[in-house]
Amino acid sequence: MQNIADIAQSFEPISLAQMESVKLMNRIDTKYAVPMTVLPLILEAAKADYYIQEIDGKRIATYDTMYYDTDSLDMYVRHHDRQLVRQKIRVRQYVDSHLTFLEIKRKNNKGRTSKKRIIVPGFAITADTPSVLKHKRKEDEAVTVASFIDAKSRYEWSEITPHLWTKFHRITLVNKAKTERLTIDMDLVWDNVISGEKKTFTDLVIIELKRDGNVPSRMTHIMLDHRIHPLKISKYCIGTALTTPDIKKNRFKSKIRKIEKMLAINNF
C-alpha cells in the first residue's frame, strides 16, 4: 500500500467540487480484475493523462458498505439468473468525509444503470441498523429510510435485512479531458452478517472505467498493454457467493476461479 500511496501523491489532484462537472450522462461502464502487483504499473502509465481525486488532503479513501437483501437473497439470485431488470440496495459510508448515503441502484432491460440516494447522517453500518431514521430532504420534507425504500425500490423496507458488509480502499481518477472516471478498489473485505463468514482479498484490485459514450480511453490501451481484459464482476455478488454456504453460484464459479488463478500466478 505504501508504494501505491507514493504513486498517488505524484498525480495532479482534482477536488470533489471540480469532479461535479464530470456528469457522464451517456455512460459506458467497463470493469477489470487486476492483481495488486500490476497496479503500480497501471498508475505510473496513467499519471500523464489523469487527475486523482483529493479530499481533505487524502487521495486513498476508505469505504464501508452494507448491502441489503431479502431472506431469500432475491437481489443476488436475480443477478445470478441473468435477469436484466434488477436492483441493489446499500448504505455506503465515506469514512474519511463522514458522509453516509442510502443508495438504490437500478438496472433496466437496456443495460442502463441509475442510482437514487439520500444522505443518512448518523446511520450506523451494523447488523442491527434501525429501521426508522429521519432525514431532511432539500424540500425540507422529513422522510424515513423506510418510506424512501418503499417509494423508490421494488422491495419494501420490511422485507429486506442487512446481509453483506463490504470494506475497501478506493482511488478515483479522472482523465484530463473529463470524459471518464476510474475507480480503483483495493484491500477488499467481505463480512457476511447472516452466515458469519468472512473473506479477504488483499491481492485483488477491482477497477471500473466509466466513460462518456464510446469516446477513446487511454486506460483501455494501458490495460491491453498489460494483457488485462474486461471482466463483468459485482462486488456484492462475488462477496455473497464466497461467504454464503449452499447458495447457487454456478454463474460466478468461473469468475472466482479466474480471479484465484490470476492472483496465484502473480504471487508466485
Side-chain angles (χ1 to χ4, degrees), residues 73-267:
L73 298 181
D74 187 70
M75 294 180 224
Y76 168 87
V77 171
R78 289 182 66 84
H79 195 142
H80 180 279
D81 292 349
R82 302 179 188 272
Q83 296 291 319
L84 297 179
V85 179
R86 56 183 188 260
Q87 290 186 0
K88 290 189 178 73
I89 299 174
R90 68 192 185 194
V91 172
R92 170 160 287 176
Q93 183 176 11
Y94 300 81
V95 176
D96 302 306
S97 56
H98 308 291
L99 289 173
T100 304
F101 291 89
L102 169 65
E103 301 179 340
I104 301 173
K105 289 186 69 175
R106 179 180 299 146
K107 180 160 284 191
N108 65 21
N109 58 5
K110 305 296 184 182
R112 302 292 297 174
T113 300
S114 62
K115 182 168 69 174
K116 295 183 181 297
R117 69 180 188 175
I118 55 172
I119 295 177
V120 283
F123 197 94
I125 301 182
T126 64
D128 58 350
T129 303
S131 61
V132 182
L133 180 69
K134 290 190 174 181
H135 161 71
K136 286 283 189 177
R137 292 203 325 204
K138 288 182 181 178
E139 302 85 8
D140 201 32
E141 174 190 357
V143 297
T144 64
V145 167
S147 62
F148 179 77
I149 294 289
D150 292 346
K152 304 297 183 181
S153 170
R154 63 180 292 155
Y155 303 93
E156 293 183 1
W157 177 252
S158 59
E159 65 180 319
I160 62 173
T161 57
H163 172 59
L164 189 71
W165 193 349
T166 304
K167 307 175 186 179
F168 55 88
H169 292 105
R170 170 173 286 183
I171 291 173
T172 301
L173 302 182
V174 179
N175 71 331
K176 294 190 174 179
K178 295 186 179 179
T179 57
E180 68 180 65
R181 290 196 309 268
L182 196 75
T183 57
I184 302 170
D185 296 342
M186 311 166 286
D187 303 321
L188 289 148
V189 178
W190 291 285
D191 194 347
N192 193 309
V193 300
I194 305 299
S195 70
E197 294 199 15
K198 187 174 183 177
K199 185 70 175 180
T200 301
F201 266 162
T202 55
D203 296 327
L204 174 66
V205 180
I206 295 178
I207 297 177
E208 185 170 2
L209 171 62
K210 307 168 186 181
R211 51 182 166 149
D212 194 3
N214 228 349
V215 297
S217 169
R218 169 67 180 139
M219 186 54 62
T220 59
H221 295 289
I222 293 173
M223 292 298 187
L224 287 175
D225 288 344
H226 291 90
R227 300 179 182 177
I228 297 169
H229 301 282
L231 179 68
K232 292 183 179 180
I233 183 171
S234 160
K235 287 193 290 292
Y236 171 64
C237 289
I238 292 297
T240 298
L242 287 168
T243 61
T244 309
D246 303 324
I247 194 171
K248 63 176 179 179
K249 57 190 75 173
N250 291 340
R251 183 186 168 195
F252 303 124
K253 281 182 178 178
S254 62
K255 293 182 181 180
I256 293 171
R257 284 196 295 267
K258 184 174 183 178
I259 290 169
E260 290 175 339
K261 183 179 179 181
M262 175 191 70
L263 297 180
I265 291 173
N266 283 273
N267 286 327

Side-chain angles (χ1 to χ4, degrees), residues 7-25:
I7 298 172
Q9 287 301 318
S10 65
F11 276 76
E12 187 176 348
I14 186 170
S15 69
L16 196 58
Q18 291 171 315
M19 286 274 293
E20 288 298 315
S21 65
V22 189
K23 296 296 185 183
L24 306 184
M25 299 303 292

